[in-house]
Amino acid sequence: MLYPSRSELPDHVPSGRVLDYDSFQVDAPDGDFAAAMVRLRDSGVPDLFWTQRNGGHWVATDAAFIRQILEDAETFSSKAMRVPKEANPTPPIIPLMIDPPDHAVYRRLISTSMTPSEVKKLALRAREICVGVIDQLEPRGECEFVADFAQKMPIAVFMGMLDLPDEDKPVIMAFVDRIVRPDAPETRMQGFADMGAYTMAKVRERKARPGSDLISKLARSGFGDRPLRDDELQGLMSVLMLAGLDTVASMLTFITRFLATSPHHRVQLRERPDLLTNAIEEFLRRMAMVNLTRELVRDTQLGGVLLKAGDLIVAPTALANFPQDGSNWLEVDFERPRHLHATFGAGAHYCMGSSLARAEIRVFLEEWLKRIPDFAIAEGAVLEVKAGAAVMMPRLPLVWKPRNS
Ligand code: HEM
C-alpha cells in the first residue's frame, strides 16, 4: 500500500533514532512474519525509532515499551488505530478507537455476546462449518487455504452472531476481501463504506422487526439515557467483523503454514490431544500478527526519548512475545510452560474475542488434522506476507494426498 512519506523530520526526533522503515513491508519470503520482526529487532535497530514513511511515526521494538504503551490509555490514545492518521475509518470502530471512560460503556454493550455460553454456541457453529468445508476440500487434494478455508469459518461465526442469512455471504465476502486484501488504500476505505451501508441496512431491518440476535440487542441499547446513534451502531458492528475476522483468518493461516512445514508437530498434535490447549497458546504466542497503533495525547518520555502530543506510535504485539533472555523463543514448543503473551493486546482494549478465537483455533486443529493429517505447501508457491494493522498472508496454496486416491 502506498501512503505518502513525511518530508520534514520533526524537530523533537533525534537523528540517531531515525530508520527507513515501512510498516506495510516485511521481509518474510518464507511467510514467517514473527521471525522477520525478531530479525529486525535483533539487527541492532533502536528500541524506539522514528520512520518518515506512511506519514511519519514511531515504532517500539522493546517488549517492555510495547506493554507500557498498551497499558497507559491516558497517554497513548486509541483514536488512531493505524498509520497514517488519514487511514483511520470514520465513524470510529467502537470500542477499539474509543478511550476511557466512554470505552468501558461501549465495551459492556457487546460483552453480553461474549459470555462462555455464547462462545460455546458459536464454537458449535464453527465446528459445523469447519467439517462441511474440509469434507468438500479433502477429495481435491489441494486448496488455497486463505480463500478456501481461513476466511470462511470466522465469516460464518460472525453471521451466526448477528443472525445474518446465508444468501448474504457473497456480499459480505466481497467487502471483507476489499478490507482484508486491498490492492490500494482506496479499496480498503471503499470496503469500510460498503460494510457500513450493509450493517446499517440490517440495523433498520431489525429495528422494524426485532429478534434475539446481537444487532437487535444493540439497536435497543443506549449510552446512558439516550439511544445509540447510527454512527455508534455502525462502529459497534464493524468491530465484530473486523476484529474477529481477518485476525482469526490470519492466525489460522500462519498456524497452517507452520504445520505444513513441520511433520513432527502434526504428529505430536494427533498423538497427544492432551497437549492441544498448550499448543493453541504456543501458536498464539509464536504467531502474533497485530501491529497496534496509538496516538500521543500529551508530550511524554519513553525510555528517555521525547514523544510529542499528536505523534503516532506503532506497537507490534509480536515483539512483546520474544524476550531477549537467551532462550529460543522462535522455537514452537508445545510443552513450554505458559508464557504471558501480548497477542490479544494488553490493558483496557484487551481482545474481547480471545475465548472465541481460542475455540475457533481448537475446532480447526481438531477437525482439519482428523481429515487431512498430512499436507504440504504446494511446490513453487510464492509466499507473501502483507504487513499492516493485522498482518496476513494473502495466499497459502496447500497439497495433500486425498484419502480415496
Ligand atoms: C486470533 C485472533 C485474534 C487476535 C490475534 C486478536 C487480537 C486483538 C488485539 C491485539 C486487540 C487489542 C486492540 C487494541 O489494543 O487496540 C483486540 C481487540 C478486540 N478484539 Fe480481538 N483478536 C482476535 C480475535 C477476535 C475475535 C474472534 C473477536 C470477536 C468477534 C474479537 C473481538 C475483539 C474486540 C471487540 C476488540 C476490541 C476491544 C476493545 O477495544 O476494548 N477478536 N483483538
Side-chain angles (χ1 to χ4, degrees):
M1 285 221 260
L2 220 56
Y3 291 110
S5 290
R6 193 179 171 124
S7 47
E8 303 269 311
L9 189 67
D11 290 343
H12 64 291
V13 176
S15 57
R17 289 195 178 262
V18 182
L19 198 75
D20 183 19
Y21 173 78
D22 184 347
S23 52
F24 292 97
Q25 298 286 332
V26 59
D27 184 18
D30 55 354
D32 193 342
F33 167 70
M37 290 303 285
V38 170
R39 267 197 310 279
L40 170 78
R41 180 195 66 188
D42 294 350
S43 69
V45 301
D47 49 13
L48 179 63
F49 66 80
W50 174 272
T51 171
Q52 288 284 79
R53 300 238 188 190
N54 300 302
H57 62 90
W58 295 101
V59 179
T61 64
D62 175 79
F65 289 171
I66 294 170
R67 283 207 167 267
Q68 189 179 334
I69 293 164
L70 301 185
E71 285 169 3
D72 179 1
E74 284 185 10
T75 309
F76 299 94
S77 160
S78 287
K79 67 183 175 216
M81 63 162 208
R82 50 189 290 126
V83 293
K85 275 185 196 167
E86 59 270 24
N88 290 284
T90 38
I93 298 175
I94 301 177
L96 213 50
M97 297 172 69
I98 306 292
D99 293 324
D102 288 358
H103 167 258
V105 181
Y106 289 122
R107 207 172 144 107
R108 274 198 295 278
L109 294 177
I110 41 180
S111 58
T112 53
S113 301
M114 298 290 175
T115 58
S117 65
E118 288 299 320
V119 169
K120 219 172 181 176
K121 272 192 245 162
L122 293 168
L124 279 178
R125 186 178 166 97
R127 196 174 293 275
E128 232 172 79
I129 306 294
C130 193
V131 170
V133 176
I134 303 171
D135 279 347
Q136 273 186 359
L137 291 177
E138 196 279 333
R140 280 173 35 186
E142 48 96 30
C143 77
E144 193 290 284
F145 184 78
V146 180
D148 291 340
F149 184 86
Q151 285 185 359
K152 287 194 172 158
M153 184 165 75
I155 287 187
V157 169
F158 167 80
M159 292 181 70
M161 230 174 186
L162 301 189
D163 197 18
L164 300 172
D166 273 357
E167 65 263 25
D168 285 6
K169 202 185 264 178
V171 188
I172 297 178
M173 297 278 279
F175 58 67
V176 166
D177 206 54
R178 256 169 269 153
I179 294 171
V180 176
R181 299 202 263 193
D183 49 16
E186 307 76 56
T187 317
R188 188 176 162 91
M189 292 321 249
Q190 189 55 49
F192 279 123
D194 294 348
M195 182 175 72
Y198 172 85
T199 49
M200 288 321 290
K202 292 293 162 192
V203 167
R204 285 191 291 277
E205 205 180 285
R206 303 292 159 87
K207 273 186 174 166
R209 281 183 302 282
S212 58
D213 59 284
L214 181 56
I215 304 182
S216 304
K217 269 193 238 166
L218 286 175
R220 281 195 301 270
S221 307
F223 188 103
D225 302 337
R226 65 165 173 82
L228 290 177
R229 296 184 308 262
D230 280 2
D231 60 299
E232 292 172 307
L233 285 163
Q234 185 176 331
L236 281 160
M237 292 214 286
S238 307
V239 84
L240 297 170
M241 175 164 292
L242 291 177
L245 217 148
D246 50 351
T247 47
V248 174
S250 171
M251 181 56 75
L252 294 180
T253 308
F254 282 117
I255 293 173
T256 304
R257 182 211 68 87
F258 171 77
L259 285 175
T261 59
S262 182
H264 156 72
H265 285 90
R266 295 200 300 267
V267 171
Q268 218 186 358
L269 282 180
R270 286 202 305 273
E271 292 182 352
R272 296 273 317 271
D274 59 303
L275 282 181
L276 192 57
T277 303
N278 254 19
I280 293 168
E281 231 35 53
E282 178 67 348
F283 281 139
L284 284 166
R285 178 193 70 78
R286 176 61 176 77
M287 315 291 168
M289 63 342 153
V290 178
N291 288 325
L292 296 171
T293 297
R294 297 290 192 259
E295 179 171 343
L296 270 289
V297 174
R298 51 176 175 240
D299 293 2
T300 195
Q301 296 273 338
L302 185 63
V305 179
L306 173 66
L307 314 178
K308 284 267 205 187
D311 286 356
L312 294 191
I313 185 161
V314 169
T317 56
L319 289 181
N321 297 354
F322 297 88
Q324 291 164 290
D325 59 4
S327 307
N328 185 4
W329 291 98
L330 282 171
E331 187 191 352
V332 174
D333 176 359
F334 297 154
E335 296 187 77
R336 196 189 282 285
R338 279 283 180 101
H339 172 73
L340 181 68
H341 60 72
T343 302
F344 290 121
H349 291 272
Y350 185 83
C351 178
M352 296 185 75
S354 59
S355 309
L356 179 57
R358 287 187 174 98
E360 290 185 62
I361 297 168
R362 174 179 292 274
V363 163
F364 160 67
L365 289 171
E366 287 175 350
E367 302 302 341
W368 183 280
L369 290 173
K370 213 186 283 172
R371 289 167 176 77
I372 309 181
D374 281 310
F375 52 97
I377 297 172
E379 223 180 288
V382 177
L383 302 185
E384 188 198 348
V385 173
K386 277 204 166 174
V391 180
M392 55 116 38
M393 291 172 68
R395 300 185 75 248
L396 178 63
L398 294 180
V399 287
W400 59 87
K401 201 164 170 298
R403 262 178 301 199
N404 292 327
S405 65

